[in-house]
Amino acid sequence: MSSTVNRRDLLKFGSLAALGMGIRLPSFGLGNEEGILRSEGMADGLINLSSNENPYGISPKAKEALLGALGEAHRYQYNHANLKDFKKELANYYGVNADQILVTAGSGEALGLLPRHFRGKLVTANPTFGILPATAKMLGNKVVEVPLTADQKHDLPAMLKEVDNETELVYVCNPANPSSTIVSPASLKSFCIEASKKAYVGVDEAYIDFLDAPDNESMMQLIEKHPKVFIIGTFSKIHAMAGLRIGWVIGHATLIKALSDNYFNRTQAAMSALSMSAALASLKDPEWHQLSKQKNAAARDYAYQELKKMNIDVIKSYTNFLFFPIPNYTGDFAADMLKKNIFLRSSNYVHGKWARASVGTMDEMKTFIEVMKGVRV
Ligand SMILES: Cc1ncc(COP(=O)(O)O)c(C=O)c1O
């Protein structure tokens, strides 16, 4: 299955979507991710490995629910009988109470609102997923970015050293984007407990469903005893609902109330009935998620092995994307790959020049690998 976004569509996305996609735009002073808005000469038939979407599509049950909801689309979401308990059902699924959860139009919305609520010093990693730190910087908040370790993992001890009385928020993405690595649940747990003695700690678990036990232990377990720890999640990844825009924040009821009473006060009323209908159905289709998880792992492992055979030092991925160094590439890698109909990301990070390619279908990854064989990185 290939994406059919063309060059005109990409240009149409503009800078707002670029920010949403985690692209760091120079106009915001956010760094130098390459090759997206200024690429030339792309034809249709693009293989889109740029946004870590799930190429297998939404669950058939979610599709059915979406179509069913269309007949009621003229009604406000709060008049849909089956959506009355949306938050409660979501809370049930995660084993929390309804007052410990708030929903947003994709977790990107939450990541953009959190630094508006928490204006004090932010401690996060570099690189990490862009929306939260980029927004914090745009607002003039103090941001401390701690480089990943040489093996591209969160440097939790170094981050903890930066958490002081001035710190209001810590943002940890686990599994990490763009580096595709994880830290162990035990180390993350003790980090969250320690850091939350001084600051709020938001753990972005967008990709946790791609993990196997014991790595897939959510930090949600901490929210009752450690009320400054909270989790950010999304339906865009394993649920394949990126275009339907559903995300959530789960935390202590006092934090959820404080957020809901402030910048998040309209997010829950702004949710689409169609999206919520699909989300409810998707929660009831674990077999579908398992299928895309397995297919993702097969395509990922294939591409990983092939890149290794080319002597590319690709990082072992725990996600649906691959992160690899391109130290010898002299041009704009993402822009040049786009000309070959492969849409991915590349950037100069603290550890040099790297690229990130999402895991597409096996066919897409085979094409990606063929293209990579003709490139020296
Ligand atoms: C780590 C992480 N968090 C959050 C998001 C935002 O997802 P969404 O806004 O689609 O929920 C993404 C998207 O790629 C991501 O990689």
Side-chain angles (χ1 to χ4, degrees), residues 313-331:
D313 210 4
V314 55
I315 299 290
K316 178 178 163 53
S317 168
Y318 289 82
T319 62
N320 65 342
F321 51 92
L322 292 161
F323 194 53
F324 53 94
I326 47 169
N328 302 314
Y329 199 82
T330 46

Side-chain angles (χ1 to χ4, degrees), residues 71-89:
E72 290 291 301
H74 57 293
R75 302 223 176 268
Y76 282 108
Q77 72 280 22
Y78 47 76
N79 287 327
H80 286 235
N82 68 320
L83 295 178
K84 216 173 60 173
D85 295 325
F86 177 69
K87 249 170 62 173
K88 213 158 109 195
E89 291 205 34

Side-chain angles (χ1 to χ4, degrees), residues 20-22 51-53 104-111 128-129 131 171 173-177 204-207 232-237 241-243 245-248 321 356:
M21 292 192 296
S51 309
N52 305 341
E53 295 154 347
T104 52
S107 58
E109 186 183 25
L111 295 172
T128 191
F129 186 60
I131 295 179
Y171 173 61
C173 186
N174 192 61
N177 183 6
D204 187 337
E205 295 186 348
Y207 299 98
I232 304 130
T234 180
F235 276 76
S236 298
K237 305 302 173 184
M241 286 177 43
R245 314 306 304 132
I246 300 221
W248 47 257
F321 51 92
R356 190 198 75 186

Side-chain angles (χ1 to χ4, degrees), residues 217-228:
E217 196 180 321
S218 171
M219 292 303 116
M220 230 176 260
Q221 60 184 295
L222 299 177
I223 63 168
E224 253 328 297
K225 270 175 99 178
H226 305 278
K228 287 188 159 185

